[in-house]
Every structure is written in structure tokens, then in C-alpha cells.
Amino acid sequence: MKNYIQDLNKAFENRIRLGIMSILMVNDSVEFSTLKEMLDITDGNLASHIAALEKIEYVNVTKQFIGKKPNTTYTVTKAGKKAFNEHLDALEKLLKNRD
Amino acid sequence: MKNYIQDLNKAFENRIRLGIMSILMVNDSVEFSTLKEMLDITDGNLASHIAALEKIEYVNVTKQFIGKKPNTTYTVTKAGKKAFNEHLDALEKLLKNRD
DNA sequence: TAGTTTAACTTTGCGCTACAAAGTACTTTT
DNA sequence: AAAAGTACTTTGTAGCGCAAAGTTAAACTA
């Protein structure tokens, strides 16, 4: 049996980061507040997980003003998409393995 | 968007426990040493993860002697199978979600 | 214009987790 | 008698996850 466990990405082990990525993969751009609501977590917690994904360059941040309000949106980077897809492939193989 | 994140099982968040379960799901009974080799981790680490799965009754342990050697084998319980399948369902839904 | 609110953080602090390494118990092999 | 094998348990450390509180800057509010 090949060891697909090694191919799982540590960055996506946490459920919240898994959630962030799965949302960003199917939405071009998502706001901080939207993510916060979807995931139902505290803003601090979200910020720290996003920061982790930003640091490894899986997620891009865009800060702007919409009207008078600050607005932060996130997108997944090319590297992030690749890494996430590889993670899903590894997951799939791991779980379908029947040696 | 329904929050499938909540349906993910904390017990399976760790990659090693995910690996243990995925192996036990498709093999009736697996030895300690086999698991250790397949997962390529230290025996202490494996023992502690197995202990966690045992404690919540997702895994059964059987100790016996084969010839002169002690032999410990593990099987997944009914509850373990159910929990793992539910976890996989949640994963699938989370990742396929396109709202 | 002082005080409150909103958005998006950052910092703090604590409890929990993961892991390697070392120690243990019992047995077998040398 | 000593070494090795099986399956742990214990120890110690570093890191993580999270809520809560603190921060910044701009914007309404009285």
C-alpha cells in the first residue's frame, strides 16, 4: 500500500481551513464577514486561520473601501488551488484504498 | 450554505487517525506492527492514537499469542464504521458544495 | 466634538494535542 | 546471562486552537 497519508497537506488538516478553502475554491472572491458567517466562528479565529493560509500563499487578500466601509475579500491563489486539489486527490486515494 | 463543517468528526481530523480508520475499514483485522509499518510512525505515537480511538469505542483490540509471540490486532467497531461513514459524507458534501 | 459603532484584525492566555524518545514488562532467542 | 522483540506507557516539549479582550482607523451620532 502506498502511503497516501504523506500526501495529505498539513495546512488543510484543520476543519476551519478546510472550510475556508472549500468556500474559496468555488467562489471567486469572498468577504471576511461572509466567511465568518458561513463558518460561524469568531473573527479572531477566522483571522488567524486566514493569516496562516496567506502566509503560505494559498490565499490572497484584497483590502478596499466599498462606499465608506472597509472591505476585505479573499481569493485562492494558483498555488492554493493546486495544493488543495492535490490534498483532495490524496484523500480520495487514501479512502478508496483496498489493498 | 449549510454548515457541513460541524458534521466533520473531530476524532478523524488527525491524519494518522484518518489513516488508521481507512485501513481498518477495508481490512477485517489488522496487527499493531502492520499498522505501524503502513503508517510509518513510531510505536508510541501509534499506540496513543489507537488508544484515543479505543476510548471512544471506534476500535476494538484483541490480544492473543500466536505461537510464542504476543499479537495485538485491531478491528473497527460498528459505531466506528458509522461515525467514519458520516465523516466521509460530511467531507464530500463540504467539498462539493457550490451554493 | 466627545462618545459609540463597525470592520478587521492582533494579542493574550490557557488548555489540549502531537510527537519523539525513553522507560517498562514480559517473553524468547542466543 | 544478555540481547532482542512486542506492545505498550510515561515524560517532556513544542505547537495549535480558541475565546476573549485589546487595537486601529474611519464613520456615524448626539
Side-chain angles (χ1 to χ4, degrees):
Chain A
M1 168 192 185
K2 185 180 173 311
N3 204 339
Y4 293 113
I5 283 187
Q6 330 278 24
D7 296 337
L8 293 175
N9 193 325
K10 266 261 168 201
F12 307 134
E13 201 161 335
N14 176 274
R15 53 173 56 196
I16 291 175
R17 288 204 291 270
L18 198 62
I20 293 170
M21 290 302 293
S22 78
I23 292 169
L24 292 185
M25 287 295 280
V26 296
N27 295 97
D28 279 0
S29 157
V30 183
E31 296 179 15
F32 183 89
S33 58
T34 306
L35 272 180
K36 192 189 147 181
E37 271 167 43
M38 290 176 101
L39 299 169
D40 192 27
I41 54 177
T42 59
D43 53 356
N45 195 10
L46 175 56
S48 76
H49 283 297
I50 289 268
L53 293 172
E54 247 186 277
K55 194 174 181 184
I56 54 177
E57 296 180 326
Y58 285 176
V59 163
N60 259 334
V61 59
T62 308
K63 284 161 195 282
Q64 57 175 341
F65 275 80
I66 289 190
K68 305 290 177 67
K69 289 186 182 174
N71 176 272
T72 305
T73 56
Y74 302 97
T75 54
V76 62
T77 63
K78 205 174 167 183
K81 275 182 190 167
K82 182 162 180 286
F84 196 64
N85 281 324
E86 283 167 2
H87 180 75
L88 297 192
D89 286 349
L91 252 186
E92 213 167 289
K93 280 173 187 154
L94 177 69
L95 300 173
K96 285 197 178 142
N97 191 79
R98 278 156 211 280
D99 290 354
Chain B
M1 170 191 182
K2 185 179 172 316
N3 204 338
Y4 293 113
I5 284 187
Q6 330 278 25
D7 297 338
L8 293 174
N9 193 325
K10 266 261 166 199
F12 307 133
E13 202 160 337
N14 175 274
R15 55 174 52 196
I16 291 175
R17 287 205 291 270
L18 198 63
I20 292 170
M21 289 302 292
S22 79
I23 292 168
L24 292 186
M25 287 295 280
V26 297
N27 296 96
D28 280 0
S29 158
V30 183
E31 294 178 17
F32 184 88
S33 57
T34 305
L35 273 180
K36 193 189 146 179
E37 271 168 42
M38 289 177 101
L39 299 170
D40 192 28
I41 53 178
T42 58
D43 53 357
N45 196 8
L46 174 56
S48 76
H49 283 297
I50 288 270
L53 292 172
E54 248 185 277
K55 194 176 182 185
I56 54 177
E57 296 181 325
Y58 285 175
V59 163
N60 259 335
V61 58
T62 308
K63 284 162 195 282
Q64 56 175 342
F65 275 79
I66 289 189
K68 305 289 178 67
K69 291 184 181 176
N71 175 273
T72 305
T73 56
Y74 302 97
T75 54
V76 62
T77 63
K78 205 174 167 184
K81 276 182 190 167
K82 183 163 179 285
F84 196 64
N85 281 323
E86 282 167 2
H87 180 75
L88 297 192
D89 286 347
L91 253 186
E92 215 168 287
K93 280 174 188 157
L94 176 70
L95 300 172
K96 285 195 178 148
N97 191 77
R98 278 155 212 281
D99 290 356

